[in-house]
Amino acid sequence: MDKKEKHERIKRTLKIVGPIVTAAGLILAVVGFVSFFSAFGSGGMPSLFWCAFIGLPIFVIGLRLTMAAFRREIATYHKNEAAPVVNEFAEDIKPAVQSVASAVRGETAAEGRICPQCGEQNGADAKFCQNCGSALQKVCPACGNSADAKAKFCDNCGHHFPE
Ligand SMILES: [Zn+2]
Ligand SMILES: [Zn+2]
């Protein structure tokens, strides 16, 4: 038999052995704890408490065997479940990543206007924020040039904008 076939056979065995070991460990642990707590109540010695000591590790080992045996099924399940979430998440953070990236490159002015109120990325010649409606530009009263809403002076004629 080749390696893959052997692997499959081990997995098939584990799929049966794993849950049995898990169940056996769980039963032992429960027996141990029940013994412990009933002895605690009656004041006697917990005669079967050792069951918990043996049962817990057996339970953990069984759980691991089961996990190993069903790894592919679990992975497939997680993949199917996680994929749309990841995509939605990526779509959510995309604009943020883009604005951070362009801010790092210093290209915000060329690519658009960041709203000073809410941080929304707007078009390069947007007059108002598409998210909150704040003014992004003002018109210079002296020369008619449009300037950034936060500008203190007109970059065309040097007019000082009132605060
Ligand atoms: Zn805004
Ligand atoms: Zn001006």
Side-chain angles (χ1 to χ4, degrees), residues 39-140:
F40 206 66
S42 63
M45 284 296 286
S47 54
L48 288 173
F49 189 51
W50 57 269
C51 286
F53 280 106
I54 299 169
L56 275 180
I58 291 174
F59 173 68
V60 172
I61 291 165
L63 210 59
R64 288 195 171 205
L65 289 177
T66 313
M67 293 279 277
F70 289 96
R71 189 177 292 145
R72 194 194 300 151
E73 285 82 349
I74 293 169
T76 316
Y77 174 76
H78 276 292
K79 207 170 148 195
N80 290 341
E81 284 294 292
V85 178
V86 168
N87 284 345
E88 280 169 28
F89 181 65
E91 288 301 313
D92 274 352
I93 63 165
K94 220 173 176 180
V97 170
Q98 278 174 348
S99 57
V100 168
S102 53
V104 167
R105 291 197 304 266
E107 291 171 356
T108 41
E111 284 184 6
R113 286 167 189 270
I114 302 284
C115 171
Q117 299 302 322
C118 73
E120 173 81 10
Q121 173 107 26
N122 293 281
D125 40 42
K127 290 185 175 64
F128 297 94
C129 173
Q130 61 182 348
N131 184 51
C132 72
S134 298
L136 299 173
Q137 293 182 30
K138 53 189 166 191
V139 175
C140 174

Side-chain angles (χ1 to χ4, degrees), residues 140 142-143 145 154 156-157 159:
C140 174
C143 74
N145 180 44
C154 173
N156 185 51
C157 72
H159 176 81

